[in-house]
């Protein structure tokens, strides 16, 4: 029994060694992504249905990592349909040079269309951004001319967010600082109170004398 097991192990080792010695150039070229080398090997008689122990007993097509390499196998199938068992090699339908050229042209057309749509979207975004800047700038000018602290502060924030002109923003910030100072400065507060009382007194006088309200 021991002798039989030893003989079986020896036979397995010989089989594995023989499998490891099988040609692997096509597997290597396919795995490396070398489409030109794959084409040369196939034209030179390399068997695409050969499985190799170093590649998990997969066929060369199954270790291909790029479209170019897979297309090299498909072109070989189209040119040499009867030479190999292409089904066993896992190579799909053959690909002629014309079919490949047509496919590449379709892909180029698709890429051009995608680029065209992206450019259109960029132009629309730029147009929208310009409109938002224009609207924010108009609000900023209006708020800068007024005395509403909250409105001016909000317009400055909006203008900053959409990238409005720096000079106009600087004027608005200066106006905001002035309004904030006036809102807290005792002298300014007292002056506004005097102005309010004076205006109210003038209004009462006008009513009593029949003048303009």
């Amino acid at each position: 029994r021991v002798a039989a097991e030893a003989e079986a192990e020896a036979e397995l080792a010989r089989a594995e060694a023989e499998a490891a010695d099988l040609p692997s150039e096509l597997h290597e070229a396919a795995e490396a992504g070398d489409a030109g080398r794959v084409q040369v090997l196939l034209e030179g008689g390399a068997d695409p249905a050969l499985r190799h122990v170093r590649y998990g007993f997969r066929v060369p097509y199954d270790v291909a990592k790029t479209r170019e390499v897979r297309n090299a196998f498909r072109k070989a199938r189209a040119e040499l349909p009867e030479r190999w068992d292409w089904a066993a090699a896992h190579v799909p339908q053959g690909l002629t040079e014309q079919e490949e050229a047509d496919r590449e042209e379709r892909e180029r057309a698709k890429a051009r269309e995608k680029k065209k749509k992206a450019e259109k979207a960029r132009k629309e975004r730029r147009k929208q951004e310009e409109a938002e800047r224009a609207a924010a700038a108009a609000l900023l000018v209006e708020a800068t001319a007024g005395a509403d602290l909250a409105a001016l502060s909000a317009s400055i924030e909006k203008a900053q967010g959409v990238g409005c002109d720096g000079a106009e923003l600087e004027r608005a910030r200066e106006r905001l600082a002035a309004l904030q100072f006036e809102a807290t400065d005792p002298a300014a507060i007292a002056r506004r109170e005097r102005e309010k009382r004076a205006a109210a007194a003038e209004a009462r006088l006008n009513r009593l004398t029949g003048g303009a309200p």
Side-chain angles (χ1 to χ4, degrees):
R1 180 178 177 180
V2 173
E5 290 178 352
E7 178 62 26
E9 290 178 359
E11 181 62 29
L12 178 60
R14 285 193 294 272
E16 290 178 346
E18 290 176 1
D21 288 336
L22 289 172
S24 61
E25 291 86 354
L26 191 55
H27 285 83
E28 293 167 0
E31 186 180 49
D34 191 341
R37 179 64 175 160
V38 166
Q39 181 179 353
V40 169
L41 289 169
L42 289 170
E43 291 174 350
D47 184 357
L50 181 66
R51 296 174 180 271
H52 203 285
V53 63
R54 292 208 306 270
Y55 293 87
F57 292 100
R58 290 180 295 170
V59 293
Y61 185 85
D62 288 343
V63 302
K65 296 179 179 179
T66 66
R67 175 185 291 178
E68 290 74 13
V69 169
R70 290 190 289 272
N71 284 348
F73 281 100
R74 294 184 63 194
K75 285 189 284 187
R77 176 170 182 170
E79 295 168 1
L80 306 166
E82 306 299 329
R83 188 165 186 176
W84 304 106
D85 184 349
W86 295 103
H90 294 178
V91 178
Q93 181 180 356
L95 179 68
T96 66
E97 290 186 2
Q98 183 59 50
E99 287 171 337
E100 183 179 28
D102 292 343
R103 179 187 58 77
E104 290 177 350
E105 178 55 34
R106 287 194 299 272
E107 290 182 349
R108 284 193 293 270
K110 188 176 180 180
R112 289 193 296 269
E113 183 63 22
K114 183 178 180 180
K115 182 178 180 181
K116 182 178 179 181
K117 288 181 179 179
E119 181 61 27
K120 181 180 179 181
R122 282 194 294 271
K123 289 181 178 178
E124 290 176 350
R125 283 197 302 272
R126 286 196 295 269
K127 185 176 180 180
Q128 181 178 356
E129 290 168 357
E130 289 170 359
E132 290 176 352
R133 278 194 295 272
L139 287 175
L140 186 65
V141 170
E142 181 181 350
T144 301
D148 188 330
L149 268 170
L152 181 55
S153 180
S155 67
I156 289 174
E157 183 177 355
K158 176 65 175 177
Q160 287 175 328
V162 297
C164 282
D165 178 64
E168 191 59 47
L169 271 169
E170 186 60 30
R171 285 192 291 272
R173 293 190 189 100
E174 291 175 356
R175 175 59 174 162
L176 179 63
L179 290 175
Q180 289 171 335
F181 175 78
E182 289 181 1
T184 57
D185 179 57
I189 293 173
R191 185 181 65 252
R192 286 196 301 274
E193 288 299 321
R194 287 195 300 271
E195 290 173 351
K196 286 181 182 178
R197 287 195 296 270
E202 184 178 358
R204 286 196 301 272
L205 180 61
N206 287 331
R207 286 197 297 271
L208 291 172
T209 59

